[in-house]
Amino acid sequence: MTVGPEDPAPNPHATEAEVQAAYSDNKLAQVLYHDWEAETYDDKWSISYDERCIEYARGRFDAVAPSAELPYDRALELGCGTGFFLLNLMQAGVAKRGSVTDLSPGMVKVATRNGQNLGLDVDGRVADAETIPYEDDTFDLVVGHAVLHHIPDVELALKECLRVLKPGGRFVFAGEPTTIGNLYARKLGQLTWKITTNVTKLPFLSDWRRPQEELDESSRAAALEAVVDLHTFDPADLERMASSAGAIEVQAKTEEFAAALWGWPVRTFEAAVPDEKLTWRYRMAQYKAWLAFSALDEKVLRHVVPRQFFYNAMITGVKPGASAK
């Protein structure tokens, strides 16, 4: 388990001057925001490295690459965050060895630490997805989750993925917001935040309110989040970008319509109230509800609702050359 010795150190406590500078420097904003979030990101998004998230990650992979021959030998994750996607895919048997990369030193630190705690063969580097610091034909698989919408030049990043892939290697990206899905998700989140933070001002609900400094911190982070979220996608546009980058066997799929309409208010409410109020029973109930809505999406709604109305987009493609896995 290694981190590049030349990599910069995390900066989880940005100054006001740095935050102001980030509004005109998108890549600085990416670093500051994700360093800011790194140590609490898993808790914020209920990320784990157990059966629940292993099954989720493998499900996303299988949705767009159901016939892939597993395991891949060496995999790379772009914009790894805390390592959620690749580490859980490795536990699911998708890849044997992994490298995690992110523009944020804080995220690489947490991802490699998570990999070490899981006993996985993973190394990490601070890296820009538009200039991946690996040689041509290095990896068998490149993956990412909720990363493409942060990258200024998505097609360039996909070209870089194809460059570092071996011929016949595959990329799989999931968790990307669709244009229509992002619109209703943001509106639901903003409404839920406003209602929750106002209702919990009532004296008899004061113990359901986070300290004001934590709420202010979340609001500042949300302001930077609006800066770092650069794109939303129509699934057809994602397919065109991947093909234009040089990939073959390109396919985009979408998921989460009812699940997103339910999940975004729930996640926003959870961010606005103290953690101790969210009991294990509550969390399990929400997870089971999400599963039920996801089943409704998969079994019914995907047959009647156009794919661009679903919240999450996934895309896969293969580097031309040897037979794809």
Side-chain angles (χ1 to χ4, degrees):
M1 178 66 56
T2 61
V3 179
E6 72 283 3
D7 286 346
N11 178 20
H13 304 293
T15 66
E16 182 63 28
E18 287 173 322
V19 171
Q20 289 304 314
Y23 286 107
S24 57
D25 183 341
N26 182 262
K27 292 194 177 180
L28 175 60
Q30 300 284 355
V31 173
L32 294 184
Y33 173 75
H34 290 99
D35 274 5
W36 197 339
E37 295 273 279
E39 295 291 343
T40 58
Y41 196 77
D42 283 349
D43 288 337
K44 176 182 178 180
W45 295 103
S46 298
I47 290 172
S48 63
Y49 301 90
D50 54 16
E51 183 178 351
R52 176 176 64 90
C53 282
I54 293 171
E55 182 179 343
Y56 177 86
R58 179 63 187 269
R60 310 290 68 74
F61 184 90
D62 289 345
V64 290
S67 59
E69 183 183 336
L70 305 178
Y72 289 88
D73 181 39
R74 189 178 181 190
L76 169 70
E77 181 170 15
L78 293 188
C80 62
T82 57
F84 155 74
F85 201 39
L86 180 57
L87 299 183
N88 280 314
L89 287 175
M90 290 178 71
Q91 292 190 98
V94 170
K96 297 177 182 177
R97 298 180 293 150
S99 298
V100 293
T101 62
D102 200 290
L103 202 58
S104 159
M107 288 297 192
V108 174
K109 175 184 175 182
V110 174
T112 52
R113 185 178 69 210
N114 285 340
Q116 183 175 30
N117 292 338
L118 294 166
L120 298 174
D121 184 0
V122 178
D123 58 76
R125 293 187 65 178
V126 176
D128 188 331
E130 294 177 356
T131 53
I132 301 172
Y134 290 95
E135 298 295 327
D136 297 1
D137 305 334
T138 298
F139 297 96
D140 304 284
L141 174 69
V142 175
V143 300
H145 189 277
V147 58
L148 295 181
H149 68 284
H150 292 309
I151 300 172
D153 192 332
V154 176
E155 188 172 324
L156 176 59
L158 293 175
K159 288 178 179 178
E160 278 288 279
C161 290
L162 292 169
R163 180 184 65 78
V164 301
L165 278 170
K166 297 175 183 178
R170 179 182 296 276
F171 63 75
V172 172
F173 290 94
E176 299 299 336
T178 64
T179 300
I180 295 174
N182 183 70
L183 178 63
Y184 61 70
R186 294 291 182 186
K187 294 295 184 183
L188 285 170
Q190 291 165 1
L191 179 61
T192 304
W193 180 265
K194 183 176 181 179
I195 292 172
T196 304
T197 54
N198 279 292
V199 168
T200 52
K201 289 179 181 177
L202 296 172
F204 63 91
L205 290 176
S206 60
D207 60 338
W208 279 85
R209 184 175 178 83
R210 283 186 182 269
Q212 189 61 43
E213 59 270 21
E214 291 186 15
L215 294 175
D216 292 342
E217 183 89 351
S218 292
S219 294
R220 286 194 294 272
L224 266 185
E225 186 176 18
V227 176
V228 302
D229 288 350
L230 299 178
H231 309 288
T232 57
F233 301 101
D234 182 282
D237 290 337
L238 262 182
E239 290 171 334
R240 281 192 287 271
M241 277 189 282
S243 296
S244 180
I248 60 173
E249 300 182 33
V250 171
Q251 184 178 30
K253 290 192 174 182
T254 57
E255 62 179 358
E256 292 197 23
F257 180 61
L261 293 172
W262 169 264
W264 271 93
V266 168
R267 284 192 289 266
T268 306
F269 167 77
E270 291 172 351
V273 303
D275 287 338
E276 60 268 20
K277 293 295 184 181
L278 307 176
T279 64
W280 179 85
R281 181 174 295 179
Y282 163 86
R283 292 181 186 277
M284 287 305 298
Q286 300 308 320
Y287 176 56
K288 290 178 180 177
W290 180 83
L291 288 177
F293 283 115
S294 294
L296 175 64
D297 287 334
E298 178 62 23
K299 296 177 180 178
V300 179
L301 296 182
R302 75 179 184 89
H303 300 291
V304 296
V305 177
R307 64 176 182 167
Q308 62 266 30
F309 283 84
F310 286 71
Y311 178 74
N312 275 327
M314 301 170 282
I315 184 76
T316 191
V318 169
K319 180 172 182 174
S323 297
K325 290 186 70 176

